[in-house]
Structure formats: C-alpha cells, structure tokens
Amino acid sequence: MKIALIGYGKMGHMIEQIAIARGHEIVCKIDVDNQDDFDSPAFASADVAIEFTNPTAAYSNYLRAFKHNVKVVSGSTGWMTDHKDDVEALTKDGKQTLFWASNFSIGVAIFAAVNKYLAKIMNQFPQYDVEMEETHHIHKLDAPSGTAITLAEDIVGLLDRKDAWKAGVTTWDDGHVDGSTDHKANELLVNSVRHDEVPGIHTITYNSEADQITISHSAHSRQGFALGAVLAAEYTANHTGLLTTTDLFSSLIP
C-alpha cells in the first residue's frame, strides 16, 4: 500500500519502520512545518493516511485527507465530543473511510474484552466498588487517556450501579497533583499518573471489605500500538466507512 503519515513524532517514526518492513511505501510525511503538503500530488496518491496528532488537529486532518478521498487511520483522541456526528455523516455508506481507535494494541483489545466480561460478572455483586488508574509518559497532556475512557464507558454500560465515569486526580513526577478524587457513588473514578516515559498502563480494581480483584494491562513499548495501526491500514484496503478495532480483531475476540 501507499501510506501517508500525518504526525511524525515517535509514533510516526515507529509506524514508518513497521510499514516499510511489511512491504508498504511511505509516500508523504506531514508534520507541523509542512501542512501545505496535504494538497500535494504525493499525499493524494496515498491509499491511506495514518494520523497520530492531537485532539485539536485531528478532525481538521480528517477533512483535509477526505478532500482527496484518502482513507484515514487515526489514534488521536478527544475530538469525538465536538465532531462525532460530523464524522459519522462523512463516513456513512462508505463515502469516506475512518478507522479510529483509542488504542490499536492487540493486547489492549484482549484486555478490553476481559474488562467487559468481568464487568458483566461484577454487576451481580454490588458489594464491590470499582475504580481505574492509567499511567502514561509525561508528554501525554490529556487525562484520562482515550483508552481509559473507552474502558470506563464499557464498565458504565454494564454495571447498573455506575451511571458515568469521572476524571479524578492526575499525579505528575514533579509532585504536583491536578484534580480531585471527589465523586458520587454512581460515578466510576478514573485517576491518572504521568510518569517518565511509560508507554501505557491501565489498571481496573474492584474492591470490597472482604477482598480485591485487579486486572491490568502494561505496554512494554509503543511497538504494539504502531503494528496495530499498520494492520488497521491494511484492513482499510478492503473495507470502508467508520471502522474500529472491533472490526479488525473480530476474528480473534468474540
């Protein structure tokens, strides 16, 4: 496939390495200093663009890619609050294609399936309260992470005693803490830690007076995310519309 990269930071570099190793061609690399290349022949020649930027730029990047009928794979989070309906309209009936996920890791997809299965079980045992903590590198400014939000929404959808999730505290390496742990009993608290160069840890804890049950996923590097993004790009070769990891990993996870 011919692949364009939108965002050429650490993730972009790793995606490039994996894509080339899998026999693909990188035809265009767009970062903050060459935005005009969105309208270049090289970008328009791409079969798919892989986008890892930030919440404020993501939706605009999708529109600029769709202008040239280039499919998009994106791991950017935070844009859905304002633009979910617009993206659904743009991708309806396969007019444009966006493969979006808060996390492309196969391991996280498996973890998400375990999370939902456990929540179904724990719905029968109201003596257990549940909360979540996510840890990422200090360069990640949004909190909670997109993956944590996805996991939290799955729990809220399956636990009758939780109606919503709530962002708790964010603890930084320099010792300062943002936010508050104040929350209502019907809210799932999601705390965050920003530490060193941690690629990502998500931990879900069910706690009662008698005992505690914890499940956790810890990424060793960004490699799993990058590989998943390239697999998603390959998936778009024969699929259109609004896609996600449920589609990609449907053969692996029921």
Side-chain angles (χ1 to χ4, degrees), residues 218-231:
S218 179
H220 298 313
S221 73
R222 293 181 176 88
Q223 185 174 359
F225 311 141
L227 173 60
V230 176
L231 292 175

Side-chain angles (χ1 to χ4, degrees), residues 95-153:
K95 288 180 291 185
Q96 299 292 344
T97 296
L98 173 66
F99 190 121
W100 178 82
S102 58
N103 196 309
F104 285 92
S105 163
I106 294 174
V108 166
I110 296 169
F111 183 67
V114 172
N115 175 52
K116 287 190 282 189
Y117 182 67
L118 180 57
K120 290 177 184 178
I121 294 173
M122 299 308 289
N123 193 43
Q124 305 170 61
F125 301 97
Q127 68 266 37
Y128 287 88
D129 197 14
V130 58
E131 66 178 43
M132 186 187 309
E133 180 180 274
E134 58 91 359
T135 302
H136 282 83
H137 52 84
I138 58 174
H139 314 291
K140 185 174 183 61
L141 301 180
D142 59 314
S145 68
T147 301
I149 292 172
T150 299
L151 293 167
E153 289 177 344

Side-chain angles (χ1 to χ4, degrees), residues 231-246:
L231 292 175
E234 294 171 356
Y235 186 82
T236 65
N238 298 307
H239 298 83
T240 59
L242 186 58
L243 308 168
T244 188
T245 48
T246 302

Side-chain angles (χ1 to χ4, degrees), residues 47-233:
D47 298 306
V48 59
I50 301 180
E51 195 265 4
F52 277 81
T53 59
N54 59 69
T56 58
Y59 178 65
S60 174
N61 291 337
Y62 304 162
L63 295 182
R64 298 181 78 172
F66 292 163
K67 177 182 175 182
H68 299 286
N69 292 312
V70 174
K71 297 177 178 180
V72 178
V73 170
S74 176
S76 297
T77 60
W79 55 269
M80 293 189 73
T81 301
D82 295 328
H83 302 296
K84 181 176 183 288
D85 292 342
D86 297 329
V87 168
E88 288 178 345
L90 287 165
T91 56
K92 187 178 180 181
D93 300 324
K95 288 180 291 185
Q96 299 292 344
T97 296
L98 173 66
F99 190 121
W100 178 82
S102 58
N103 196 309
F104 285 92
S105 163
I106 294 174
V108 166
I110 296 169
F111 183 67
V114 172
N115 175 52
K116 287 190 282 189
Y117 182 67
L118 180 57
K120 290 177 184 178
I121 294 173
M122 299 308 289
N123 193 43
Q124 305 170 61
F125 301 97
Q127 68 266 37
Y128 287 88
D129 197 14
V130 58
E131 66 178 43
M132 186 187 309
E133 180 180 274
E134 58 91 359
T135 302
H136 282 83
H137 52 84
I138 58 174
H139 314 291
K140 185 174 183 61
L141 301 180
D142 59 314
S145 68
T147 301
I149 292 172
T150 299
L151 293 167
E153 289 177 344
D154 286 341
I155 294 171
V156 169
L158 293 166
L159 280 186
D160 293 338
R161 56 189 179 275
K162 296 295 181 183
D163 298 326
W165 63 269
K166 183 179 184 296
V169 296
T170 302
T171 305
W172 297 81
D173 273 354
D174 63 6
H176 83 273
V177 177
D178 300 322
S180 169
T181 57
D182 292 340
H183 67 291
K184 300 175 183 176
N186 64 339
E187 293 176 327
L188 167 61
L189 188 66
V190 183
N191 293 316
S192 302
V193 176
R194 293 294 171 262
H195 174 59
D196 199 20
E197 294 295 331
V198 175
I201 303 170
H202 294 86
T203 301
I204 298 160
T205 302
Y206 288 85
N207 201 32
S208 74
E209 290 186 5
D211 54 16
Q212 178 175 295
I213 299 169
T214 301
I215 59 172
S216 184
H217 176 274
S218 179
H220 298 313
S221 73
R222 293 181 176 88
Q223 185 174 359
F225 311 141
L227 173 60
V230 176
L231 292 175

